[in-house]
Amino acid sequence: MLRAYDLYKAYKMGKASVEVLSGVSLSAKASEFLVILGSSGSGKSTLLHLLGALDIPDKGDVEFQGKSVFQRAKKSRENYRNRDVGFVFQFYHLLPELTVLENVIIPRLIGTPALKWLSHRREAKKEALAMLDRVGLSHRVKHRPNELSGGERQRVAIARALINKPTLLLADEPTGNLDEKIGAEILDLLSEFNSAGQTIIMVTHDARVAVRAHRQVRLVGGKIEKVVPAQPSPALA
Amino acid sequence: MYKWFLAWRYLHTKLIAFFGIASVSLCVAMVLVVMSVMGGFLDTIRERSRGLHSEILLETSSLQGFPFYGEFQEYLADHHADTVSMTTPVIYTYGIFRVPATKYTRPARVVGMRLNEYTQLNDFKQGLHYEHYFPGTTHLGPQRMPVGGIDANQRLVLPKDLEAANARWRESETDVEKKKNYEANPYEMAIYPPYVTTPIYGERVYAFGDDGPGYVGPKNSGVIIGCDMLNERRDDGDFDRFLARGADIAVTLMPISPGGNVTGEPPVRLPLRYVDDSRTGIYEIDDLCIYVDFDMLQHKLAMDPQALADGGMSRARINQMLIGLHDGTDLETGKAVVSAAWEKFLDSLGNKPSLMDVNMLNHTSVMTWEDMQRPFIQAVEKEKVLVTLLFSLISLVAMALVGCVFYMIVEKKTRDIGILKAIGASARGVAGLFVAYALAVGICGAILGTGLGVVFVWNINDIQSFLASLNPQLRVWSPEVYSFDKIPEIVKTWDAIGVAVVAVLASVAGSIIPATIAGRIWPVKALRYE
Ligand SMILES: Nc1ncnc2c1ncn2[C@@H]1O[C@H](COP(=O)(O)OP(=O)(O)OP(=O)(O)O)[C@@H](O)[C@H]1O
Ligand SMILES: [Mg+2]
C-alpha cells in the first residue's frame, strides 16, 4: 500500500550538509502496524514527515496505493495530507483557540468546499462526536486543549488524525511525552484501531513500545538496518 | 470555509486583534471627522456665496467703474426679458469708517445699493438684524434716530411705527422659542444722550431719552453695517451690540475720476445713520463692508454725470451690475446670453463712447456667482483636500500598523499554520485565512470607527464647549474667524461609506504581505519543536 524508495534527505547547516537519510526504502501493507525504531536524532521524524508529505526528499519517492506522492500536483498532495494519511505528533499540536470538538472537525472542514459544508455540517459534527466517543473523550468536547491532560490531548490528536478515515495513520512518538501508564493507554487505543483494520506506521526510540507492532524496522546511519519479524506482545501474552 | 471559521475564532480570542481593530477604527473616525467638518465648512461657504450677489454679475476690475450701465439695463430688458429677470447697479469704493460717539475708526468697503432691488436678487435681507424684528423699517434714505421712552413698568417703549412693525413680526413669527426669547428681553437699551455708551448692551440695542419715544437728530442717510465691524461675537455665535440703532456714523471717501485719479479735495465726508447690521456669514465681508444708498453714494463720489470742460457731460458710472435670471435658467447658459448681449451692446454703441469710456469698458467682464467666489471657495476646497490627504497619510501609518499586527500574529501562529498545512490546508487557504481575518478586522474597525466618528461629529460642539470649559485655550473653532456659529455637525452618508470601504480595503491590503508569508510556511519547519 505504501512504499518508500531510496529516500535521501540532508539538512544544510551553514556550509556543511548533514545527511540524515541516505537511501531509505520501506513498505507497509494494509492493516499493518509497523514500528520504526531508532535512537534519538537518527532521522525517524524526518522519515515520517516524508511519508506524510510534510517535507520533500532530496532523492527518492514515496508511492501510495501505486501512485507517486512527490510527482503529484500540489493540490493532490494537499488532498493526500488531508484524506489519505492522518498524523499524530509527539507534542499533540492542537489548535489552542478551538475546542476539542472543533479541533477534531477541522480536517473535515478543510477538506470540504464551503457550499457543501452547509449541508454536511451536522453529519460532520456527528462523526466527530462519535470519534471522540471512541477515544473516550465524549465528556470533554467543549473544553479547550489547555484544559486537558497530556494523555487526553493525545487522544484528541488521534481523533483528529482519524476523522477523515485515512488509509494510513502516521504517529511520531505519540507516547514520548507521557508517563508509562498513560502511554500504554494510548498504545492500547492505537492497537484497538489497528485491530479494526487501521494501517499504522509509528516511530519510537523506546523498544518497550515497539513490541506492540506486527513488524519493526530500525533506522541506523540513515538506512533501514534490520527487519525484526513480528513478535507476540508480552502484554498480550 | 475553515478560513472564515478560524478568522472568526481568532477575532474574538486574540487580544491582538483588538489593537488592529482599534487602529483601524481610530483612523476611520479621524478621517471621517476631518472630512465632515471640512465638507460642512465648504458647503456652508458655497451656500452663503450663492446668496451673496446674484446669478450673473457684470464686473469691472478697476475702481473708477464703467459707464453705459443704464443703457445696458434697458437693452437687457428689451432683448432678453425671457432670460434676465432683473438688474440693479452697485457701486464699490473704500473709505474710512468712524463712530463719532466712541471715536472708533476703521477702514471700510462702501457698497452703494438700491436696497429694495438688491434684496430681491439675493439673501441680503435675511441677514439684516433689525429688519427681522421690525419688518419694513430698514431703509437707506434720510432718517432721524429713533429713541425710546420708559413706561410705568420701567420698560423701554419705542416710537409707534416701530412698535407696530414689531407687532407685525410677533404675529407672523412661527418659531415659539424665538418669540419667547424676544419677550424675555424685548429691546436692550443704550443710554442716549450723551450719545452712545456701553453700560448696557445686548442683541437689540435702542437709545432712550427723557421725553418719551420719538425721533431725534438731523436726517442722515442710512447705513447698514457689516455685523462684525461693530459688534462683538459671543461664543454662542450671537452678538453683543454696543451701538444704538440710529447712532451717528461718519464715513470719509475719496472720489475717483473716470481716468482713475483721486479728485476729492478735501475728501468727501458723509454723515450717516446706523439703521441695521448685515450678516452674510462670510467673515471677510461682514468685517469690512458697509452699505449705503446707491444714488447718494454715486452723487457724493461724482460718479453721476459731471460737466466737462468742453461743455459736454461725463457719463454716470457704476462698479458692478447684478443680473438675476429667471428661476430654472441654467447658470452657464445665462452667463453666455449676458456675455453675448454685452458684446453686442458694446458694438451697437458705435463711436458714442469717449476714449476714457472705452478704457473703462475694457476692464469689464461677465461672471457667474461661482466665478466670482471661486478663488475663495477653491481655497477652502484645496484646504479640504490637503487636510484629508494629510490625515489619510496618517492613516497609512495605521495601516502599516495593521500589517505589523498581522505579521506578529503570523509569527506567533507559525506552529498553528504548520498544523493546518499538515492536515491538508493549502498555501492559498492559509493566506486566505489571514486575508479573511484582516477583512474581519477591517470591517469591525470600519463599523466601530464610523460610529465613533459620527457620534463625535454630531456632538462636536458639545465636546468643544466641554474642552473650552476646562481651558479656554482648547477652543479651536473660533467663531470670530470662521463666522459660523457652530462647527458643522453633518456627516454625509457617502463620505462615511467611502471612508469605511477604503479602510476595509486598506486593512486587507496591509495583511497581504503577512498572509503571503503565512502561506509559504513549510509545515515541518513549523512543527518540529514544541
Ligand atoms: N530543519 C533542520 N535543520 C537542520 N538539521 C535538522 C533539521 N531537522 C532535523 N535536523 C537534524 O536531523 C537529524 C534527524 O532529526 P530527526 O528529528 O528526524 O531525528 P529523530 O530520530 O526524530 O530524533 P528524536 O528521537 O529526538 O525525535 C538530527 O540530527 C537533527 O538535528
Ligand atoms: Mg523525532
Side-chain angles (χ1 to χ4, degrees), chain B residues 254-461:
Chain B
M254 287 196 244
I256 298 171
S257 75
N261 292 311
V262 177
T263 58
E265 279 183 83
V268 176
R269 192 165 178 278
L270 292 184
L272 297 169
R273 204 164 285 297
Y274 168 42
V275 291
D276 215 332
D277 55 51
S278 148
R279 186 167 187 206
T280 62
I282 309 277
Y283 179 76
E284 285 74 8
I285 291 175
D286 293 340
D287 193 42
L288 186 65
C289 290
I290 63 173
Y291 309 86
V292 297
D293 182 61
F294 173 81
D295 295 296
M296 185 274 295
L297 185 66
Q298 192 180 41
H299 177 67
K300 293 286 186 185
L301 290 174
M303 288 172 83
D304 54 350
Q306 302 284 315
L308 296 174
D310 61 6
M313 294 290 277
S314 71
R315 294 179 194 282
R317 292 173 283 146
I318 62 170
N319 294 87
Q320 187 184 59
M321 190 192 292
L322 300 191
I323 300 165
L325 302 177
H326 287 296
D327 284 347
T329 311
D330 177 65
L331 202 57
E332 290 305 320
T333 319
K335 179 183 171 181
V337 168
V338 174
S339 292
W342 180 236
E343 292 299 324
K344 213 164 158 208
F345 169 77
L346 289 180
D347 285 346
S348 74
L349 291 177
N351 54 10
K352 258 201 279 180
S354 68
L355 236 94
M356 207 77 92
D357 292 341
V358 170
N359 180 50
M360 284 189 281
L361 290 169
N362 278 343
H363 288 118
T364 57
S365 55
V366 175
M367 300 190 187
T368 65
W369 69 267
E370 278 179 339
D371 298 335
M372 183 83 177
Q373 289 305 114
R374 186 158 293 140
F376 186 52
I377 292 177
Q378 245 170 13
V380 181
E381 251 164 13
K382 289 219 175 85
E383 211 171 306
K384 181 187 176 189
V385 170
L386 190 76
V387 174
T388 309
L389 210 74
L390 275 176
F391 277 86
S392 306
L393 278 180
I394 297 173
S395 304
L396 268 186
V397 174
M399 291 315 152
L401 214 83
V402 171
C404 282
V405 165
F406 275 89
Y407 187 74
M408 280 168 66
I409 294 172
V410 169
E411 287 272 275
K412 261 182 90 173
K413 287 274 155 219
T414 303
R415 195 184 60 112
D416 290 19
I417 293 164
I419 297 169
L420 286 173
K421 286 202 143 179
I423 57 181
S426 59
R428 239 162 187 266
V430 170
L433 157 64
F434 282 90
V435 173
Y437 189 13
L439 191 69
V441 166
I443 288 172
C444 290
I447 290 172
L448 228 78
T450 307
L452 201 71
V454 166
V455 168
F456 191 90
V457 172
W458 283 350
N459 295 296
I460 195 162
N461 287 294

Side-chain angles (χ1 to χ4, degrees), chain B residues 144-165:
Chain B
R144 307 174 75 199
M145 181 187 198
V147 292
I150 305 286
D151 72 359
N153 301 325
Q154 290 295 305
R155 287 177 63 132
L156 189 68
V157 188
L158 295 180
K160 279 208 174 64
D161 55 333
L162 290 182
E163 290 284 5

Side-chain angles (χ1 to χ4, degrees), chain A residues 7-214:
Chain A
L7 290 173
Y8 280 81
K9 182 79 188 175
Y11 291 109
K12 281 202 186 71
M13 300 187 73
K15 277 186 186 150
S17 159
V18 183
E19 197 169 66
V20 179
L21 301 179
S22 23
V24 171
S25 296
L26 186 76
S27 68
K29 291 192 271 296
S31 302
E32 192 177 22
F33 192 158
L34 173 65
V35 162
I36 302 171
L37 267 167
S39 55
S40 193
S42 58
K44 307 180 298 289
S45 296
T46 306
L47 174 59
L48 208 63
H49 288 152
L50 291 181
L51 298 183
L54 304 191
D55 206 349
I56 291 173
D58 299 335
K59 223 176 101 185
D61 199 352
V62 173
E63 218 174 61
F64 180 77
Q65 293 178 331
K67 271 198 282 177
S68 159
V69 169
F70 294 105
Q71 272 152 39
R72 305 176 180 203
K74 220 166 106 196
K75 183 86 203 129
S76 164
R77 199 148 65 233
E78 281 153 11
N79 281 339
Y80 173 72
R81 285 186 210 144
N82 184 242
R83 274 182 228 142
D84 296 334
V85 297
F87 224 104
V88 177
F89 304 93
Q90 178 179 354
F91 300 108
Y92 330 122
H93 287 332
L94 301 175
L95 297 174
E97 282 84 9
L98 306 189
T99 65
V100 163
L101 179 63
E102 287 162 351
N103 261 294
V104 173
I105 280 186
I106 199 95
R108 183 63 67 87
L109 189 52
I110 288 175
T112 316
L115 276 178
K116 215 172 145 200
W117 178 254
L118 294 176
S119 56
H120 181 63
R121 206 177 51 210
R122 276 167 208 283
E123 198 186 326
K125 191 174 167 189
K126 227 160 63 191
E127 282 178 45
L129 285 170
M131 190 53 81
L132 280 167
D133 196 33
R134 275 190 74 183
V135 300
L137 275 181
S138 42
H139 57 297
R140 287 274 196 239
V141 291
K142 287 261 155 63
H143 288 68
R144 292 281 157 89
N146 60 7
E147 296 159 354
L148 302 181
S149 73
E152 285 170 330
R153 288 185 209 190
Q154 198 59 293
R155 285 164 191 268
V156 177
I158 292 169
R160 177 179 68 187
L162 294 176
I163 182 74
N164 276 347
K165 302 190 182 70
T167 320
L168 179 61
L169 179 70
L170 300 172
D172 189 354
E173 307 208 38
T175 61
N177 249 21
L178 304 172
D179 68 30
E180 212 167 312
K181 181 167 165 284
I182 304 294
E185 280 173 27
I186 294 294
L187 290 172
D188 288 343
L189 186 62
L190 289 177
S191 296
E192 213 175 280
F193 279 112
N194 175 246
S195 324
Q198 178 68 53
T199 315
I200 300 177
I201 300 179
M202 185 171 84
V203 147
T204 182
H205 64 271
D206 187 347
R208 284 171 302 175
V209 166
V211 295
R212 302 286 186 127
H214 299 148

